[in-house]
Amino acid sequence: MKRHICTYFDINFLPRGMALLDSLEKNSEDFLIYILALDEEVVKYFLVLNNPNVKIITLAEYSKYFSISKEKYQDKKEFYFSLTPAICLYVLKVFRDVDLILYLDADVYLFNDLEIIYDEIGTASVAMCSQRLPWYNSKKYGLYNVGVNAFRRDNVGIKCLEDWHEDCSSWEKGQKNYKLDFFSDQIWLDQWPKKYNNLKVIEHIGIDTAPWNAIQYRFTKREHQYYIDDKPLVLYHFSSIKQLTKHKWHLNTTFTIFNLQNSLADIYKEYIKNIIKYDSEKTDDVIKLTFSGNKLKNIVYSVLKIFHKHTITIK
């Protein structure tokens, strides 16, 4: 069965998007990924590549169905995040043969069979992933992560996407009853389990494993396969890693308790080497490494940096 996936990125994120594509080709027998190209450079790149597993959607095509309003967002990152529900809706409405769309952030990477994710989704109309870290700042970032979501072409799936799109498109800075001072597409997910029937929260610890929850788990490698505790590592979310020098990368773990060693270090090295294949020096740090916590938290994290490694060197 052909699996339908969507994502979006600009030329700065192209190396990560290509790493995702490579991982899909290694771990899925039949898929089509719909990529919303956020600039003409991405469009031209894929025209030359001519990959049968890729369907490019231009901003011009997208804008026939959804308006594009960059002005109200503080930065490019916020504007891009506002597109997430609409690209899922676009695929379900334009491509009528798609029954279920799986959304993946462009900076995730598959380490195992894609079908494990679909087994988790099952017959759900909506599926999403928990952040899975008790002390994570859920007030700021939400209880659930947008990196992996799925929506079925049924009343519940379409309703969820339409509501989410309305939430994102109608947002204004300083909006009444909106609890953040910046735009986040993710914060609305907190209410989904109460609002929508036939919703599945994916709790498989090997799906959407990320810097903010990795400290809870033991990473190993057996017979060329990574494991997280006793579960296979399926998909890791390499959120906001940043190239510092030609060989040195920051892993966006400054404000998490993170122990980079052994198999976890190998996981990062494998991913970064895949990015490097596609000229990683063009990659821009779209998501800023900032932290707005209180002074006590800043002191705690500064001390933790002494004991926990936050960079990796690739030779």
Side-chain angles (χ1 to χ4, degrees):
M1 178 186 297
K2 186 181 290 293
R3 298 307 190 181
H4 298 272
I5 302 156
C6 68
T7 192
Y8 56 81
F9 50 83
D10 63 10
I11 193 62
N12 294 311
F13 243 58
L14 177 67
R16 304 173 199 223
M18 287 303 299
L20 168 59
L21 178 58
D22 284 353
S23 74
L24 284 166
E25 291 179 336
K26 291 176 185 175
N27 294 287
S28 178
E29 293 183 358
D30 191 11
F31 74 93
L32 182 63
I33 184 167
Y34 304 80
I35 299 173
L36 176 60
L38 299 177
D39 51 41
E40 284 301 313
E41 291 172 282
V42 173
V43 175
K44 293 175 182 176
Y45 182 91
F46 281 100
L47 281 175
V48 174
L49 189 64
N50 194 28
N51 188 319
N53 293 320
V54 176
K55 171 63 180 175
I56 289 295
I57 301 166
T58 67
L59 282 175
E61 292 168 329
Y62 170 90
S63 65
K64 293 176 183 177
Y65 291 82
F66 302 102
S67 62
I68 295 175
S69 176
K70 302 179 182 180
E71 295 75 18
K72 64 182 179 180
Y73 302 104
Q74 295 183 62
D75 55 37
K76 183 167 59 175
K77 173 196 70 174
E78 290 189 359
F79 167 64
Y80 287 172
F81 287 177
S82 75
L83 305 174
T84 311
I87 185 55
C88 297
L89 267 176
Y90 180 98
V91 173
L92 289 178
K93 291 189 174 185
V94 174
F95 302 96
R96 304 299 296 180
D97 60 327
V98 179
D99 176 64
L100 178 72
I101 187 65
L102 173 66
Y103 169 80
L104 298 177
D105 272 354
D107 54 3
V108 305
Y109 188 87
L110 277 165
F111 288 92
N112 212 314
D113 192 343
L114 180 67
E115 291 305 304
I116 299 175
I117 298 177
Y118 282 90
D119 289 343
E120 287 288 316
I121 296 169
T123 61
S125 298
V126 177
M128 60 182 183
C129 290
S130 169
Q131 300 277 22
R132 300 203 313 269
L133 192 57
W135 58 83
Y136 191 65
N137 189 351
S138 60
K139 291 182 179 179
K140 183 173 182 179
Y141 297 106
L143 299 171
Y144 305 99
N145 185 258
V146 170
V148 181
N149 293 284
F151 305 92
R152 195 172 299 280
R153 182 198 296 282
D154 62 17
N155 292 337
V156 176
I158 297 296
K159 172 64 173 170
C160 177
L161 280 173
E162 288 178 339
D163 290 348
W164 191 20
H165 174 57
E166 174 61 22
D167 288 334
C168 290
S169 60
S170 63
W171 175 87
E172 297 287 348
K173 187 171 177 59
Q175 182 175 328
K176 186 177 180 181
N177 297 324
Y178 186 80
K179 58 185 178 181
L180 303 177
D181 59 1
F182 60 94
F183 174 81
S184 168
D185 60 340
Q186 191 164 268
I187 201 72
W188 284 290
L189 275 63
D190 284 7
Q191 303 304 316
W192 287 6
K194 299 176 183 177
K195 291 177 66 175
Y196 307 110
N197 297 322
N198 199 28
L199 179 146
K200 172 68 179 293
V201 176
I202 297 173
E203 296 288 357
H204 188 303
I205 60 174
I207 298 174
D208 207 27
T209 315
W212 49 84
N213 57 43
I215 191 61
Q216 301 178 92
Y217 308 119
R218 180 173 58 91
F219 293 84
T220 57
K221 188 175 184 180
R222 304 192 299 271
E223 298 179 354
H224 308 292
Q225 171 62 55
Y226 292 110
Y227 287 85
I228 171 171
D229 290 349
D230 61 341
K231 298 283 188 179
L233 175 62
V234 182
L235 181 147
Y236 196 95
H237 195 162
F238 293 91
S239 176
S240 303
I241 64 172
K242 178 183 179 182
Q243 189 171 14
L244 301 176
T245 66
K246 183 176 181 180
H247 299 293
K248 192 173 184 180
W249 291 71
H250 191 286
L251 306 182
N252 187 30
T253 57
T254 304
F255 304 113
T256 62
I257 302 174
F258 191 85
N259 202 2
L260 184 70
Q261 60 182 2
N262 304 327
S263 293
L264 183 54
D266 292 339
I267 288 166
Y268 272 88
K269 289 177 181 177
E270 181 174 333
Y271 178 67
I272 291 171
K273 286 177 180 177
N274 272 277
I275 295 178
I276 291 171
K277 290 192 305 184
Y278 298 102
D279 191 6
S280 63
E281 292 189 4
K282 290 183 179 179
T283 303
D284 194 11
D285 182 34
V286 175
I287 304 176
K288 307 301 180 185
L289 295 171
T290 59
F291 181 67
S292 58
N294 60 42
K295 291 182 180 180
L296 177 59
K297 285 184 178 179
N298 278 303
I299 293 171
V300 170
Y301 286 125
S302 296
V303 173
L304 288 172
K305 286 173 65 177
I306 300 172
F307 303 100
H308 295 281
K309 189 176 179 182
H310 299 281
T311 61
I312 195 166
T313 301
I314 304 293
K315 297 290 188 177

